[in-house]
Amino acid sequence: DAGVIQSPRHEVTEMGQEVTLRCKPISGHDYLFWYRQTMMRGLELLIYFNNNVPIDDSGMPEDRFSAKMPNASFSTLKIQPSEPRDSAVYFCASSPTGGDVQPQHFGDGTRLSIL
Amino acid sequence: AQSVTQLGSHVSVSEGALVLLRCNYSSSVPPYLFWYVQYPNQGLQLLLKYTTGATLVKGINGFEAEFKKSETSFHLTKPSAHMSDAAEYFCAVSGSSASKIIFGSGTRLSIRP
């Protein structure tokens, strides 16, 4: 089975540029999560979707961040304009709905560096 | 509301020694508990999970964890450490099925030859 696929794996860009991170969840999973991981703050949940609808975006840092899920197989996380403090590893994860608790399956992440 | 505290940001053990990674949780509802492992440059992978029933949970790679409600703990153990166990380990708690999971700050496990 294909796992969660994220692209790009690495992104280096200059401050002020727009950054778009992409995620393809596991087929059949109807929950999708975006996380940010830094040394200082650890793993933070930014936003999650259920059936393509945003459920909780309370972790989104500020208006420069936006996330969309136009269909069940694709989601984007956009930063505009980007700042050096946005440098981090961004993970996407997905999980199915089930009678029992379903763990989240993570992608390998996008390592973002803003210069 | 749920929260997780992992005691010790870094644990170092000798190869062949017991591994013990500590996790305490707080939850206003019966918790679902997880341990995840993260190898360098990879995402998190599920090691094991506790939902209901048996309090001793066995996971992959010889790891196990015991849910102790009276101590609000879910410590991770492995009888004999292997070099390949070196990684970051995250304890996590959820209050309901497939909703958001709250992760601890992680414990980096180092294995000495």
Side-chain angles (χ1 to χ4, degrees):
Chain A
D1 283 344
V4 175
I5 299 172
Q6 292 187 245
S7 64
R9 288 296 314 274
H10 303 274
E11 174 89 14
V12 180
T13 191
E14 291 187 348
M15 174 179 172
Q17 297 298 306
E18 178 179 287
V19 173
T20 300
L21 311 181
R22 298 173 177 79
C23 175
K24 177 178 169 57
I26 294 173
S27 177
H29 285 194
D30 43 19
Y31 282 86
L32 184 138
F33 305 81
W34 281 102
Y35 291 89
R36 177 172 68 177
Q37 186 177 38
T38 61
M39 290 291 291
M40 291 296 294
R41 301 174 68 93
L43 195 63
E44 304 172 273
L45 176 66
L46 300 177
I47 185 172
Y48 77 96
F49 296 82
N50 179 219
N51 291 322
N52 313 337
V53 176
I55 302 301
D56 184 350
D57 65 355
S58 59
M60 295 286 263
E62 48 198 274
D63 292 346
R64 298 184 297 106
F65 285 69
S66 63
K68 294 182 179 180
M69 192 164 186
N71 57 61
S73 59
F74 184 66
S75 177
T76 59
L77 178 67
K78 190 170 292 187
I79 308 172
Q80 168 62 20
S82 58
E83 298 182 3
R85 61 190 168 127
D86 302 330
S87 298
V89 181
Y90 291 81
F91 288 103
C92 176
S94 69
S95 68
T97 300
D100 194 0
V101 175
Q102 300 297 326
Q104 296 176 16
H105 300 253
F106 282 74
D108 284 337
T110 294
R111 185 173 296 275
L112 177 63
S113 297
I114 308 297
L115 306 177
Chain B
Q2 290 84 35
S3 67
V4 170
T5 301
Q6 291 186 241
L7 302 174
S9 59
H10 183 210
V11 171
S12 179
V13 303
S14 297
E15 190 173 17
L18 171 72
V19 174
L20 171 61
L21 305 183
R22 300 178 188 273
C23 172
N24 287 91
Y25 70 90
S26 173
S27 180
S28 55
V29 298
Y32 301 113
L33 295 159
F34 308 83
W35 276 100
Y36 283 81
V37 61
Q38 183 180 27
Y39 299 103
N41 300 316
Q42 294 185 24
L44 281 69
Q45 303 172 33
L46 182 70
L47 268 181
L48 50 81
K49 68 177 183 181
Y50 167 80
T51 54
T52 59
T55 57
L56 183 62
V57 181
K58 294 187 184 299
I60 62 172
N61 302 338
F63 283 93
E64 61 184 34
E66 186 171 10
F67 170 63
K68 291 187 177 180
K69 184 178 179 180
S70 61
E71 299 178 8
T72 61
S73 69
F74 191 58
H75 301 333
L76 181 71
T77 60
K78 181 174 180 177
S80 177
H82 191 272
M83 296 300 291
S84 61
D85 296 326
E88 187 96 16
Y89 291 80
F90 292 89
C91 182
V93 62
S94 173
S96 62
S97 173
S99 68
K100 64 183 183 181
I101 294 175
I102 307 301
F103 286 88
S105 55
T107 297
R108 184 164 60 91
L109 176 64
S110 300
I111 311 297
R112 301 187 300 270

